Amino acid sequence: PENNYAYEFKKLMELHINEKQRVSEYASILDVSRITLNKAVQAQFGITATHLLKQRLLFEIKNFLLHTQLTVAEIAHLLHFSEPNHLMRFFKTQTGQTITAFLANYQNGSIK
């Protein structure tokens, strides 16, 4: 059953990533502790639940940046970041580059 928590967490992220960016929110939906959820995710995928959530959130941000005409402020609002700067800081921490550099690399065909 614990492995099911890991897969359920992934399914829930697909449904709720735009509204929920905290592991505790998903643990609550699954009616388990954050510790139980984290252990299940680590056992199944070899990374923490937080890391998996950050990867999924980053994917969502990149998708918005590349496939919509939304501004960073609009994306931040959609994903419930309190300020656009928080989204930009999150992006840089996760990728090592600014959103501007990411988009420039994408346009030049040298995206990471």
Side-chain angles (χ1 to χ4, degrees), residues 55-109:
Q55 284 181 335
R56 183 60 185 85
L57 184 57
L58 182 62
F59 176 83
E60 197 70 13
I61 292 168
K62 287 180 177 181
N63 195 44
F64 277 126
L65 290 170
L66 298 176
H67 304 293
T68 71
Q69 298 298 314
L70 296 173
T71 66
V72 170
E74 290 167 331
I75 296 168
H77 178 74
L78 279 173
L79 296 176
H80 299 277
F81 281 85
S82 57
E83 295 181 24
N85 285 347
H86 293 171
L87 182 143
M88 291 186 288
R89 191 175 314 126
F90 172 81
F91 190 91
K92 181 148 189 190
T93 300
Q94 297 303 309
T95 65
Q97 61 184 346
T98 64
I99 289 173
T100 304
F102 168 77
L103 291 171
N105 287 337
Y106 179 78
Q107 291 172 343
N108 295 333

Side-chain angles (χ1 to χ4, degrees), residues 9-17 26 52-53 56:
F9 175 55
K10 279 188 89 165
K11 284 198 289 190
L12 287 170
M13 278 193 305
E14 293 303 313
L15 295 172
H16 301 290
I17 194 66
Y26 293 97
L52 188 62
L53 184 60
R56 183 60 185 85

Side-chain angles (χ1 to χ4, degrees), residues 3 6 38-49 51-52 55:
N3 287 350
N38 195 50
K39 284 180 181 176
V41 171
Q42 280 190 304
Q44 195 63 42
F45 304 119
I47 58 175
T48 66
H51 186 75
L52 188 62
Q55 284 181 335

